[in-house]
Amino acid sequence: MQASHDAHAAHHDHAHDDHGHHGRAPGLMGWFTTTNHKDIGTMYLWFSFIMFLVGGAMSLVIRGELFAPGLQYVSPEFYNQMLTLHALIMVFGAIMPAFVGFANWMIPMMIGAPDMAFARMNNWSFWLLPPAGTLLVASLFVPGGAAGTGWTLYPPLAVQMGMGMDMAIFAVHILGMSSIMGSINIITTILNMRAPGMPLMRMPMFCWTWLVTAFLLIASMPILAGAVTMLLTDRHFGTSFFNAAGGGDPVLFQHIFWFFGHPEVYIIALPAFGVVSHVIPAFSRKHLFGYTSMVYAIAAIGLISFFVWAHHMYVTGIPLTGQLYFMYATLLIAVPTGVKVFNWVTTMWRGELTFETPMLFALGFLFLFTVGGLTGLVLAITAVDIQLQDTYYVVAHFHYVMVAGALFSAYAGAYYWLPKWTGFMYDEALGKLHFWTSIVFFNVAFFPQHFLGLAGMPRRIPDYATQFADFNVISSIGAFGFGFSQLIFLWVVLKNIKGGETAPAKPWDGATGLEWTLPSPAPYHTFEDAPVIKDEHLAAAH
Amino acid sequence: MTALPANNYRLAGGLSLVVLASFVFAYLQPPLYRAFCEWTGIYDVQKADEFRASSVVGRPVTMEFDANTHGTGLRFTALQTSLATHTGELIQVNFRVENLTNHPVTGQAIPSYGPKHVGNFVKKLDCFCFRQQVFAPGEVRVLPVVFALDRTLPDDVGTVTLSYTFFEVPGGVGSTAPVVNGSATSGSGI
Ligand code: HEM
Ligand SMILES: [Cu+2]
């Protein structure tokens, strides 16, 4: 194997028969050593789906326990561990790697590059993930169990817990390293490897969202790494960053954590915006409305996201001026986000809409992400948040943005590009079934949680007062329905890999972009010679 | 804009500096927050001092102190049995412990209050009851507790009794694990 942007023979853009020609080494070793962006993208996507199922199973343990008041199946300690691992696995193991998978597969094909800039490093970025995932899951089996702090890892508990906490800290270190290497790769690829004739201000929107995301990652991931390293030295090496007994301040951790944590929210959301910005125009048969304003909106969101962290800390005793500043700054983010929603809706205005599965998921995203965004605005208001902080209203809010937002967008992207990856059309009927079961059960699971939160049910508890019982039953039914609906997706993908109707180079007539000039499935090596870019391949900048 | 590896390495090098800078920035945050808070005065890091300075205005209360043991071989006495004080005033009271045995004893002091419900109004800044104590054979030690009575102490309470009982920690002899590493009992009564 060698870095695949080395000089290659020029003529295999159209060849399906280039196996063996610098292809992947045979067998499992091939997957360990591959530096091909498509192989690595595939591995990222599978890894993230497996982690999604693991994290999903954990959420069902949680929802199972919450089905009825009282303690039925798990101890409170184990509940906390499930809840922490669920979140860490979903955020760092499922959603983030899914979009890195899309980036690997699609960015080189979208900008006419032969591969990622640093192909070998790309391989390392991926292979760091399985050890980190294993550390998280294995920490359940060490004495004292896994970290039970919630994904926010707050001290003092994070300083006191057993070795499961150390494993979580190491996992975070490894995951952070992987993200940072991936980001450096993505930025370099996008900035340096675009084919001639692809200006920044007309490149595909997915590349723009990832460019900003990658900058957010390299600026914020090291902050998290620093925060957990401080936890580690507080635990074992006698420092007192957060240890009040030694003069430290546990609230300081919250500041550092959320200085990472809020940009992290947009690290998850921006690539999701990117995918939707491809799918909606394709199925509206129009160009994306307001390309330039989209770019500025993305950049603005990225920038402002570093200045709003303490909206997670309204009840920690920050002074009134601080509360007011963070409230207004947070509300400000609604402006660029509103611009984006407006542009998506306007893209559909008078379009020739059709509703294939990718479009359904993109519309599901659009509706439900907006619901999550609106509850976010409610929570941004200090006076309201003081009531709602740490209630189920918050749980509902972030699942609307992360599940119905990020996850639905990932599904939209997966259905949209599956034909390009496998060369076959997926089963449309099954895809639609997947969508409708997902969106119905999602709302059954999470909508009632708004009411629970408003009525005062705290989050992160295994037991609750009986007046909350009815809504919890509904929520648990929805969660199990949603969980099992995701197996439909597994079925669709497996079926699609095996075969199906042969996909043309461009299965969606409204789609634009260089990736659709390649045959389906995309050959192992693409764009070894820079393509000739015509105006119709570029996103329209107004 | 085709791939020129040298360009790529230069860019990656620059981005790595950003990564390094953010990591360093994480470690700069503790001193920066401290400096910022002191400069603006929005969060007084020396809360305890301010607390004392404004303490004169509270209402008068009588405090009584009491010390007991529960089968530990320790002699435990309050060095001061009563005190006229005010709410909001920072108080330090000392207790004396003597190990009467010829082996080390690990003890844990458990507080109780009279009247019962005033526990929440006794704000302890530091207390020997926060952690287990190991006494060498024959050792004599003076143990302090630092606290203030909350200003919201109900008006009908004129006398507050703070009482401690030392229990022996089973199998705990020689166990010196500090509380922060998760030794099971933090033992704080508040
Ligand atoms: C299968 C769908 C899902 C279900 C049924 C589900 C359910 C739950 C439940 C019941 C909790 C615990 C609430 C509590 O006790 O406070 C929770 C917490 C959480 N979930 Fe999910 N979840 C799902 C998917 C996701 C996804 C895809 C993500 C992220 C990308 C996610 C991120 C989180 C986070 C960050 C927490 C907070 C954990 C904490 O309090 O530290 N969840 N989820
Ligand atoms: Cu935030």
Side-chain angles (χ1 to χ4, degrees):
Chain A
M1 285 307 299
Q2 51 179 290
S4 41
H5 58 248
D6 290 353
H8 278 300
H11 53 58
H12 47 66
D13 266 0
H14 312 284
H16 283 212
D17 59 351
D18 61 348
H19 315 294
H21 169 73
H22 301 304
R24 189 172 56 243
L28 206 57
M29 248 352 247
W31 290 105
F32 277 117
T33 55
T34 182
T35 57
N36 179 285
H37 71 101
K38 302 186 182 77
D39 285 346
I40 292 173
T42 305
M43 290 195 292
Y44 263 107
L45 290 167
W46 274 112
F47 175 80
S48 95
F49 190 67
I50 291 164
M51 283 289 119
F52 174 67
L53 294 183
V54 173
M58 291 174 173
S59 75
L60 295 187
V61 173
I62 304 175
R63 280 299 348 156
E65 178 56 51
L66 294 177
F67 192 83
L71 292 175
Q72 284 82 10
Y73 309 113
V74 297
S75 67
E77 295 78 28
F78 189 73
Y79 179 94
N80 288 346
Q81 297 171 20
M82 279 290 112
L83 144 77
T84 307
L85 286 189
H86 157 72
L88 289 174
I89 286 177
M90 283 299 192
V91 171
F92 293 105
I95 296 295
M96 287 171 65
F99 286 105
V100 183
F102 282 110
N104 268 295
W105 249 105
M106 301 316 300
I107 287 178
M109 281 160 58
M110 284 176 169
I111 62 173
D115 203 313
M116 299 296 281
F118 303 102
R120 172 60 59 193
M121 185 166 83
N122 206 14
N123 170 289
W124 296 339
S125 311
F126 172 75
W127 281 108
L128 284 174
L129 293 181
T134 313
L135 262 180
L136 284 179
V137 176
S139 69
L140 276 173
F141 303 101
V142 300
T149 54
W151 82 290
T152 48
L153 311 175
Y154 283 179
L157 188 55
V159 178
Q160 296 167 349
M161 293 207 68
M163 69 181 287
M165 189 68 213
D166 296 314
M167 295 170 80
I169 288 175
F170 286 133
V172 168
H173 276 135
I174 300 174
L175 292 162
M177 228 140 44
S178 161
S179 300
I180 288 169
M181 296 199 312
S183 301
I184 291 179
N185 221 335
I186 288 171
I187 297 175
T188 311
T189 308
I190 294 178
L191 290 184
N192 281 3
M193 300 196 33
R194 276 168 294 125
M198 164 95 44
L200 269 182
M201 280 315 280
R202 288 191 74 184
M203 73 176 174
M205 192 53 69
F206 182 68
C207 301
W208 260 115
T209 55
W210 249 114
L211 186 62
V212 175
T213 303
F215 272 106
L216 294 187
L217 274 167
I218 62 169
S220 71
M221 269 293 170
I223 305 271
L224 175 66
V228 296
T229 310
M230 289 180 220
L231 277 182
L232 197 69
T233 56
D234 270 16
R235 288 166 59 78
H236 297 296
F237 303 104
T239 61
S240 292
F241 289 103
F242 313 125
N243 181 354
D249 184 350
V251 177
L252 176 67
F253 177 87
Q254 302 190 19
H255 280 290
I256 304 178
F257 179 87
W258 286 111
F259 192 80
F260 145 81
H262 193 81
E264 167 69 15
V265 176
Y266 290 97
I267 287 167
I268 290 178
L270 289 181
F273 292 171
V275 168
V276 168
S277 301
H278 284 236
V279 173
I280 289 182
F283 294 92
S284 308
R285 289 156 186 84
K286 280 175 63 187
H287 273 302
L288 183 65
F289 180 85
Y291 177 95
T292 314
S293 64
M294 281 299 216
V295 173
Y296 284 113
I298 295 165
I301 292 174
L303 197 68
I304 306 175
S305 72
F306 278 104
F307 301 99
V308 297
W309 70 92
H311 61 212
H312 298 276
M313 301 173 58
Y314 286 142
V315 298
T316 56
I318 58 172
L320 182 66
T321 34
Q323 296 182 345
L324 286 172
Y325 160 73
F326 283 107
M327 175 172 91
Y328 291 128
T330 305
L331 294 174
L332 194 64
I333 295 197
V335 176
T337 312
V339 167
K340 300 186 74 69
V341 172
F342 176 83
N343 284 349
W344 290 319
V345 173
T346 314
T347 302
M348 291 189 286
W349 178 252
R350 301 214 166 142
E352 289 170 52
L353 271 64
T354 53
F355 299 95
E356 287 87 345
T357 311
M359 182 63 162
L360 290 177
F361 271 108
L363 290 174
F365 163 93
L366 191 52
F367 277 99
L368 298 182
F369 180 84
T370 306
V371 172
L374 288 174
T375 54
L377 286 180
V378 173
L379 289 168
I381 298 166
T382 314
V384 178
D385 187 66
I386 288 168
Q387 300 292 313
L388 294 178
Q389 158 87 23
D390 267 342
T391 67
Y392 258 83
Y393 194 89
V394 178
V395 177
H397 154 69
F398 66 68
H399 282 93
Y400 268 80
V401 286
M402 294 213 267
V403 181
L407 180 67
F408 276 22
S409 160
Y411 279 138
Y415 283 105
Y416 183 59
W417 284 306
L418 255 182
K420 183 56 62 194
W421 298 338
T422 65
F424 301 111
M425 298 307 289
Y426 61 84
D427 186 327
E428 190 64 54
L430 277 181
K432 287 194 166 135
L433 180 69
H434 175 213
F435 170 75
W436 285 112
T437 49
S438 292
I439 197 164
V440 169
F441 283 124
F442 171 81
N443 282 296
V444 174
F446 290 103
F447 206 78
Q449 294 183 0
H450 292 114
F451 304 132
L452 286 170
L454 289 168
M457 177 169 160
R459 73 189 266 212
R460 295 177 171 171
I461 49 158
D463 183 10
Y464 47 83
T466 44
Q467 76 262 32
F468 302 130
D470 293 347
F471 279 134
N472 272 295
V473 171
I474 299 173
S475 180
S476 286
I477 292 174
F480 277 85
F482 184 85
F484 289 113
S485 307
Q486 304 321 302
L487 298 176
I488 303 175
F489 179 69
L490 184 61
W491 183 12
V492 172
V493 173
L494 292 178
K495 196 171 159 191
N496 181 259
I497 290 172
K498 280 221 197 110
E501 192 189 319
T502 311
K506 187 168 133 179
W508 318 115
D509 56 318
T512 43
L514 282 179
E515 74 262 35
W516 306 112
T517 63
L518 297 166
S520 303
Y524 196 64
H525 295 289
T526 45
F527 295 136
E528 310 237 89
D529 291 314
V532 178
I533 297 181
K534 303 199 196 88
D535 197 57
E536 79 238 30
H537 297 144
L538 295 172
H542 298 287
Chain B
M1 296 196 203
T2 28
L4 243 181
N7 274 347
N8 291 356
Y9 286 117
R10 200 170 319 126
L11 181 53
L15 296 173
S16 308
L17 287 183
V18 178
V19 173
L20 196 68
S22 320
F23 189 74
V24 171
F25 182 59
Y27 275 86
L28 281 178
Q29 289 197 33
L32 284 178
Y33 272 110
R34 190 170 289 265
F36 181 76
C37 294
E38 274 166 14
W39 175 56
T40 55
I42 51 175
Y43 166 71
D44 191 342
V45 257
Q46 268 96 38
K47 272 253 165 70
D49 289 352
E50 187 198 5
F51 200 55
R52 190 182 321 186
S54 62
S55 63
V56 237
V57 286
R59 74 174 172 88
V61 181
T62 306
M63 288 285 310
E64 290 179 341
F65 305 101
D66 174 42
N68 311 285
T69 59
H70 191 79
T72 50
L74 300 174
R75 178 183 292 150
F76 180 37
T77 44
L79 290 179
Q80 190 169 9
T81 49
S82 86
L83 175 73
T85 180
H86 300 85
T87 57
E89 197 170 334
L90 198 64
I91 306 163
Q92 172 166 346
V93 189
N94 295 319
F95 288 74
R96 179 182 179 279
V97 176
E98 181 178 358
N99 182 355
L100 301 174
T101 72
N102 55 5
H103 57 82
V105 172
T106 305
Q108 169 73 56
I110 305 290
S112 62
Y113 307 90
K116 231 177 174 172
H117 65 274
V118 302
N120 282 339
F121 300 92
V122 181
K123 300 295 185 203
K124 289 179 188 162
L125 275 64
D126 199 7
C127 178
F128 56 92
C129 59
F130 286 175
R131 65 214 89 217
Q132 297 177 0
Q133 307 285 342
V134 184
F135 302 98
E139 183 182 352
V140 178
R141 203 188 308 162
V142 173
L143 299 170
V145 49
V146 181
F147 67 96
L149 291 175
D150 200 294
R151 281 160 204 280
T152 57
L153 185 72
D155 282 338
D156 58 343
V157 181
T159 304
V160 172
T161 307
L162 172 56
S163 163
Y164 286 103
T165 306
F166 250 108
F167 290 85
E168 180 154 2
V169 179
V173 175
S175 136
T176 50
V179 160
V180 287
N181 284 345
S183 70
T185 43
S186 79
S188 147
I190 49 176

PDB file of all heavy atoms in Angstrom, chain A residues 11-28:
ATOM      1  N   HIS A  11      -6.089   6.221 -16.287  1.00  0.00           N
ATOM      2  CA  HIS A  11      -7.314   5.923 -17.008  1.00  0.00           C
ATOM      3  C   HIS A  11      -8.333   5.115 -16.230  1.00  0.00           C
ATOM      4  O   HIS A  11      -9.199   4.497 -16.795  1.00  0.00           O
ATOM      5  CB  HIS A  11      -6.984   5.169 -18.298  1.00  0.00           C
ATOM      6  CG  HIS A  11      -6.137   3.967 -18.024  1.00  0.00           C
ATOM      7  ND1 HIS A  11      -6.525   2.965 -17.196  1.00  0.00           N
ATOM      8  CD2 HIS A  11      -4.892   3.649 -18.440  1.00  0.00           C
ATOM      9  CE1 HIS A  11      -5.589   2.055 -17.114  1.00  0.00           C
ATOM     10  NE2 HIS A  11      -4.572   2.462 -17.858  1.00  0.00           N
ATOM     11  N   HIS A  12      -8.241   5.036 -14.930  1.00  0.00           N
ATOM     12  CA  HIS A  12      -9.214   4.123 -14.327  1.00  0.00           C
ATOM     13  C   HIS A  12     -10.394   4.819 -13.679  1.00  0.00           C
ATOM     14  O   HIS A  12     -11.066   4.249 -12.854  1.00  0.00           O
ATOM     15  CB  HIS A  12      -8.552   3.163 -13.348  1.00  0.00           C
ATOM     16  CG  HIS A  12      -7.634   3.833 -12.404  1.00  0.00           C
ATOM     17  ND1 HIS A  12      -8.066   4.712 -11.474  1.00  0.00           N
ATOM     18  CD2 HIS A  12      -6.284   3.767 -12.296  1.00  0.00           C
ATOM     19  CE1 HIS A  12      -7.035   5.148 -10.793  1.00  0.00           C
ATOM     20  NE2 HIS A  12      -5.938   4.603 -11.281  1.00  0.00           N
ATOM     21  N   ASP A  13     -10.651   6.032 -14.026  1.00  0.00           N
ATOM     22  CA  ASP A  13     -11.870   6.669 -13.536  1.00  0.00           C
ATOM     23  C   ASP A  13     -13.089   5.850 -13.882  1.00  0.00           C
ATOM     24  O   ASP A  13     -14.048   5.782 -13.122  1.00  0.00           O
ATOM     25  CB  ASP A  13     -12.006   8.057 -14.159  1.00  0.00           C
ATOM     26  CG  ASP A  13     -11.418   9.102 -13.238  1.00  0.00           C
ATOM     27  OD1 ASP A  13     -10.923   8.710 -12.150  1.00  0.00           O
ATOM     28  OD2 ASP A  13     -11.454  10.268 -13.572  1.00  0.00           O
ATOM     29  N   HIS A  14     -13.072   5.247 -15.033  1.00  0.00           N
ATOM     30  CA  HIS A  14     -14.269   4.543 -15.482  1.00  0.00           C
ATOM     31  C   HIS A  14     -14.155   3.053 -15.268  1.00  0.00           C
ATOM     32  O   HIS A  14     -15.005   2.299 -15.705  1.00  0.00           O
ATOM     33  CB  HIS A  14     -14.510   4.839 -16.957  1.00  0.00           C
ATOM     34  CG  HIS A  14     -14.426   6.287 -17.253  1.00  0.00           C
ATOM     35  ND1 HIS A  14     -15.444   7.164 -16.932  1.00  0.00           N
ATOM     36  CD2 HIS A  14     -13.427   7.039 -17.767  1.00  0.00           C
ATOM     37  CE1 HIS A  14     -15.072   8.388 -17.262  1.00  0.00           C
ATOM     38  NE2 HIS A  14     -13.854   8.356 -17.766  1.00  0.00           N
ATOM     39  N   ALA A  15     -13.100   2.640 -14.618  1.00  0.00           N
ATOM     40  CA  ALA A  15     -12.877   1.201 -14.566  1.00  0.00           C
ATOM     41  C   ALA A  15     -13.386   0.621 -13.263  1.00  0.00           C
ATOM     42  O   ALA A  15     -13.091   1.123 -12.187  1.00  0.00           O
ATOM     43  CB  ALA A  15     -11.392   0.913 -14.722  1.00  0.00           C
ATOM     44  N   HIS A  16     -14.193  -0.420 -13.365  1.00  0.00           N
ATOM     45  CA  HIS A  16     -14.549  -1.179 -12.179  1.00  0.00           C
ATOM     46  C   HIS A  16     -13.503  -2.227 -11.918  1.00  0.00           C
ATOM     47  O   HIS A  16     -13.533  -2.878 -10.897  1.00  0.00           O
ATOM     48  CB  HIS A  16     -15.885  -1.905 -12.401  1.00  0.00           C
ATOM     49  CG  HIS A  16     -17.044  -0.973 -12.288  1.00  0.00           C
ATOM     50  ND1 HIS A  16     -18.247  -1.364 -11.819  1.00  0.00           N
ATOM     51  CD2 HIS A  16     -17.152   0.327 -12.585  1.00  0.00           C
ATOM     52  CE1 HIS A  16     -19.080  -0.336 -11.846  1.00  0.00           C
ATOM     53  NE2 HIS A  16     -18.425   0.692 -12.315  1.00  0.00           N
ATOM     54  N   ASP A  17     -12.622  -2.399 -12.875  1.00  0.00           N
ATOM     55  CA  ASP A  17     -11.755  -3.576 -12.829  1.00  0.00           C
ATOM     56  C   ASP A  17     -10.380  -3.225 -12.295  1.00  0.00           C
ATOM     57  O   ASP A  17      -9.405  -3.811 -12.652  1.00  0.00           O
ATOM     58  CB  ASP A  17     -11.640  -4.198 -14.218  1.00  0.00           C
ATOM     59  CG  ASP A  17     -11.082  -3.195 -15.219  1.00  0.00           C
ATOM     60  OD1 ASP A  17     -10.958  -1.991 -14.839  1.00  0.00           O
ATOM     61  OD2 ASP A  17     -10.761  -3.576 -16.338  1.00  0.00           O
ATOM     62  N   ASP A  18     -10.331  -2.255 -11.414  1.00  0.00           N
ATOM     63  CA  ASP A  18      -8.999  -1.901 -10.946  1.00  0.00           C
ATOM     64  C   ASP A  18      -8.655  -2.587  -9.629  1.00  0.00           C
ATOM     65  O   ASP A  18      -7.789  -2.161  -8.906  1.00  0.00           O
ATOM     66  CB  ASP A  18      -8.864  -0.384 -10.818  1.00  0.00           C
ATOM     67  CG  ASP A  18      -9.848   0.169  -9.810  1.00  0.00           C
ATOM     68  OD1 ASP A  18     -10.754  -0.590  -9.413  1.00  0.00           O
ATOM     69  OD2 ASP A  18      -9.707   1.339  -9.429  1.00  0.00           O
ATOM     70  N   HIS A  19      -9.400  -3.656  -9.277  1.00  0.00           N
ATOM     71  CA  HIS A  19      -9.008  -4.406  -8.084  1.00  0.00           C
ATOM     72  C   HIS A  19      -7.614  -4.940  -8.303  1.00  0.00           C
ATOM     73  O   HIS A  19      -7.248  -5.310  -9.410  1.00  0.00           O
ATOM     74  CB  HIS A  19      -9.967  -5.566  -7.840  1.00  0.00           C
ATOM     75  CG  HIS A  19     -11.396  -5.164  -7.979  1.00  0.00           C
ATOM     76  ND1 HIS A  19     -11.998  -4.284  -7.129  1.00  0.00           N
ATOM     77  CD2 HIS A  19     -12.305  -5.495  -8.905  1.00  0.00           C
ATOM     78  CE1 HIS A  19     -13.248  -4.097  -7.524  1.00  0.00           C
ATOM     79  NE2 HIS A  19     -13.452  -4.815  -8.597  1.00  0.00           N
ATOM     80  N   GLY A  20      -6.856  -5.011  -7.273  1.00  0.00           N
ATOM     81  CA  GLY A  20      -5.508  -5.526  -7.435  1.00  0.00           C
ATOM     82  C   GLY A  20      -4.568  -4.441  -7.889  1.00  0.00           C
ATOM     83  O   GLY A  20      -3.384  -4.499  -7.619  1.00  0.00           O
ATOM     84  N   HIS A  21      -5.129  -3.421  -8.505  1.00  0.00           N
ATOM     85  CA  HIS A  21      -4.287  -2.320  -8.917  1.00  0.00           C
ATOM     86  C   HIS A  21      -4.235  -1.348  -7.761  1.00  0.00           C
ATOM     87  O   HIS A  21      -5.097  -0.507  -7.588  1.00  0.00           O
ATOM     88  CB  HIS A  21      -4.887  -1.676 -10.171  1.00  0.00           C
ATOM     89  CG  HIS A  21      -4.251  -0.373 -10.524  1.00  0.00           C
ATOM     90  ND1 HIS A  21      -3.005  -0.290 -11.060  1.00  0.00           N
ATOM     91  CD2 HIS A  21      -4.692   0.894 -10.407  1.00  0.00           C
ATOM     92  CE1 HIS A  21      -2.710   0.975 -11.262  1.00  0.00           C
ATOM     93  NE2 HIS A  21      -3.707   1.720 -10.881  1.00  0.00           N
ATOM     94  N   HIS A  22      -3.251  -1.467  -6.920  1.00  0.00           N
ATOM     95  CA  HIS A  22      -3.151  -0.659  -5.714  1.00  0.00           C
ATOM     96  C   HIS A  22      -4.438  -0.725  -4.898  1.00  0.00           C
ATOM     97  O   HIS A  22      -4.812   0.235  -4.265  1.00  0.00           O
ATOM     98  CB  HIS A  22      -2.847   0.796  -6.041  1.00  0.00           C
ATOM     99  CG  HIS A  22      -1.577   0.956  -6.784  1.00  0.00           C
ATOM    100  ND1 HIS A  22      -0.388   0.477  -6.310  1.00  0.00           N
ATOM    101  CD2 HIS A  22      -1.307   1.531  -7.981  1.00  0.00           C
ATOM    102  CE1 HIS A  22       0.565   0.762  -7.184  1.00  0.00           C
ATOM    103  NE2 HIS A  22       0.051   1.392  -8.209  1.00  0.00           N
ATOM    104  N   GLY A  23      -5.132  -1.836  -4.967  1.00  0.00           N
ATOM    105  CA  GLY A  23      -6.351  -1.984  -4.170  1.00  0.00           C
ATOM    106  C   GLY A  23      -5.968  -2.318  -2.741  1.00  0.00           C
ATOM    107  O   GLY A  23      -4.797  -2.337  -2.377  1.00  0.00           O
ATOM    108  N   ARG A  24      -7.001  -2.600  -1.933  1.00  0.00           N
ATOM    109  CA  ARG A  24      -6.773  -2.954  -0.543  1.00  0.00           C
ATOM    110  C   ARG A  24      -6.113  -4.321  -0.482  1.00  0.00           C
ATOM    111  O   ARG A  24      -6.430  -5.208  -1.273  1.00  0.00           O
ATOM    112  CB  ARG A  24      -8.120  -2.987   0.154  1.00  0.00           C
ATOM    113  CG  ARG A  24      -8.052  -3.122   1.625  1.00  0.00           C
ATOM    114  CD  ARG A  24      -9.425  -2.947   2.238  1.00  0.00           C
ATOM    115  NE  ARG A  24     -10.390  -3.879   1.689  1.00  0.00           N
ATOM    116  CZ  ARG A  24     -11.472  -3.509   1.012  1.00  0.00           C
ATOM    117  NH1 ARG A  24     -11.719  -2.250   0.795  1.00  0.00           N
ATOM    118  NH2 ARG A  24     -12.309  -4.408   0.559  1.00  0.00           N
ATOM    119  N   ALA A  25      -5.182  -4.515   0.446  1.00  0.00           N
ATOM    120  CA  ALA A  25      -4.602  -5.837   0.636  1.00  0.00           C
ATOM    121  C   ALA A  25      -5.718  -6.791   1.030  1.00  0.00           C
ATOM    122  O   ALA A  25      -6.712  -6.372   1.627  1.00  0.00           O
ATOM    123  CB  ALA A  25      -3.532  -5.776   1.720  1.00  0.00           C
ATOM    124  N   PRO A  26      -5.588  -8.070   0.720  1.00  0.00           N
ATOM    125  CA  PRO A  26      -6.696  -8.988   0.981  1.00  0.00           C
ATOM    126  C   PRO A  26      -6.935  -9.199   2.477  1.00  0.00           C
ATOM    127  O   PRO A  26      -6.017  -9.065   3.277  1.00  0.00           O
ATOM    128  CB  PRO A  26      -6.230 -10.286   0.307  1.00  0.00           C
ATOM    129  CG  PRO A  26      -4.742 -10.154   0.191  1.00  0.00           C
ATOM    130  CD  PRO A  26      -4.445  -8.697   0.058  1.00  0.00           C
ATOM    131  N   GLY A  27      -8.188  -9.529   2.789  1.00  0.00           N
ATOM    132  CA  GLY A  27      -8.537  -9.952   4.144  1.00  0.00           C
ATOM    133  C   GLY A  27      -8.533  -8.827   5.162  1.00  0.00           C
ATOM    134  O   GLY A  27      -8.546  -7.647   4.829  1.00  0.00           O
ATOM    135  N   LEU A  28      -8.497  -9.252   6.440  1.00  0.00           N
ATOM    136  CA  LEU A  28      -8.592  -8.312   7.547  1.00  0.00           C
ATOM    137  C   LEU A  28      -7.423  -7.335   7.557  1.00  0.00           C
ATOM    138  O   LEU A  28      -7.572  -6.150   7.835  1.00  0.00           O
ATOM    139  CB  LEU A  28      -8.615  -9.110   8.856  1.00  0.00           C
ATOM    140  CG  LEU A  28      -9.297  -8.427  10.032  1.00  0.00           C
ATOM    141  CD1 LEU A  28     -10.727  -8.079   9.679  1.00  0.00           C
ATOM    142  CD2 LEU A  28      -9.243  -9.335  11.241  1.00  0.00           C
TER     143      LEU A  28
END
